[in-house]
Amino acid sequence: MKKFCLALDLIDDPELIAEYENYHQNIWSEVRHSILDSGIVNMEIYRVENRLMMIVEADKNFSFEAKNEADKNNPTVQEWEELMWKFQQKLPNSKAGEKWRLMDKIFSL
């Protein structure tokens, strides 16, 4: 099992944050299937103020490259991602179009 942590910011607006959280209470079925089909077995998102942290647990065959390629070819996932940009903003120093940024593990107990 592989584990990844990623970060992203939301636009700092309480109404938009509430709407974003509401969407994530019942994600679209095809989006859920695309996540599971990629080899991700568990995904959690946490929030403090407008900063998000996503924890991804995936099987040994998972790769972000394969997931990104599959997502590019899935119109429903593309529609979801476009909708989510209404709420999201890139982290400082992110590349153009870069959303969730992989975090470096710096400690483990």
Side-chain angles (χ1 to χ4, degrees), residues 23-104:
Y23 271 108
H24 283 79
Q25 294 305 309
N26 189 25
I27 67 169
W28 299 351
S29 176
E30 192 162 341
V31 171
R32 178 182 307 278
H33 289 297
S34 75
I35 292 168
L36 295 171
D37 291 347
S38 74
I40 294 173
V41 296
N42 190 38
M43 178 185 284
E44 298 175 329
I45 300 175
Y46 296 85
R47 180 180 68 81
V48 61
E49 298 175 10
N50 69 318
R51 175 74 36 101
L52 299 177
M53 182 185 74
M54 178 191 300
I55 300 172
V56 172
E57 294 175 283
D59 65 29
K60 64 181 180 179
N61 298 316
F62 172 80
S63 80
F64 284 106
E65 294 80 12
K67 171 81 170 106
N68 290 337
E69 191 61 33
D71 288 350
K72 282 184 204 175
N73 296 311
N74 185 323
T76 303
V77 171
Q78 289 302 306
E79 182 181 351
W80 172 268
E81 291 299 329
E82 183 67 30
L83 176 61
M84 292 303 106
W85 262 125
K86 171 184 174 183
F87 311 102
Q88 300 167 334
Q89 61 183 353
K90 64 183 185 172
L91 293 172
N93 302 315
S94 294
K95 298 173 187 160
E98 186 175 43
K99 291 178 99 171
W100 289 96
R101 297 224 355 237
L102 193 59
M103 300 174 78
D104 294 324

Side-chain angles (χ1 to χ4, degrees), residues 3 105-109:
K3 186 183 284 188
K105 183 178 181 179
I106 63 166
F107 175 79
S108 181
L109 183 63

